[in-house]
Amino acid sequence: MTFEEKLEKLKEIVEKLEAPETLELDASLTLFEEGVGLVRSCRELLEAAEVRVQNVSQEDNEDTTAESISEDENGE
């Protein structure tokens, strides 16, 4: 399930939980547990994405720094 699909499912769960008169307690608890699992999973995906962005940014900064050093050494 993609991040976006998980968010959509989480939205559906929240909507169901906001209208508790249509759910029994056990069903509400099951939905709540599923929602918590989705939140954790989404958080993990976001953290992984943040690490990827930081790695790419760091690589870009290192490339830029290496180019600057090379240019300085060549007198450019």
Side-chain angles (χ1 to χ4, degrees), residues 43-69:
R43 183 178 302 132
E44 290 171 3
L45 289 171
L46 286 172
E47 288 171 356
E50 183 178 11
V51 168
R52 287 178 62 187
V53 168
Q54 289 173 347
N55 287 340
V56 169
S57 295
Q58 183 177 359
E59 289 172 7
D60 186 50
N61 287 339
E62 289 172 358
D63 290 344
T64 302
T65 302
E67 288 175 10
S68 295
I69 292 171

Side-chain angles (χ1 to χ4, degrees), residues 33-48:
E33 290 170 342
E34 184 180 357
V36 169
L38 287 168
V39 167
R40 287 181 181 147
S41 179
C42 286
R43 183 178 302 132
E44 290 171 3
L45 289 171
L46 286 172
E47 288 171 356

Side-chain angles (χ1 to χ4, degrees), residues 23-34:
L23 296 173
E24 295 178 359
L25 179 59
D26 286 342
S28 295
L29 288 172
T30 299
L31 282 173
F32 178 77
E33 290 170 342
E34 184 180 357

Side-chain angles (χ1 to χ4, degrees), residues 12-27:
E12 292 170 11
I13 289 171
V14 168
E15 288 173 357
K16 288 178 184 177
L17 289 174
E18 286 179 340
E21 63 276 355
T22 60
L23 296 173
E24 295 178 359
L25 179 59
D26 286 342

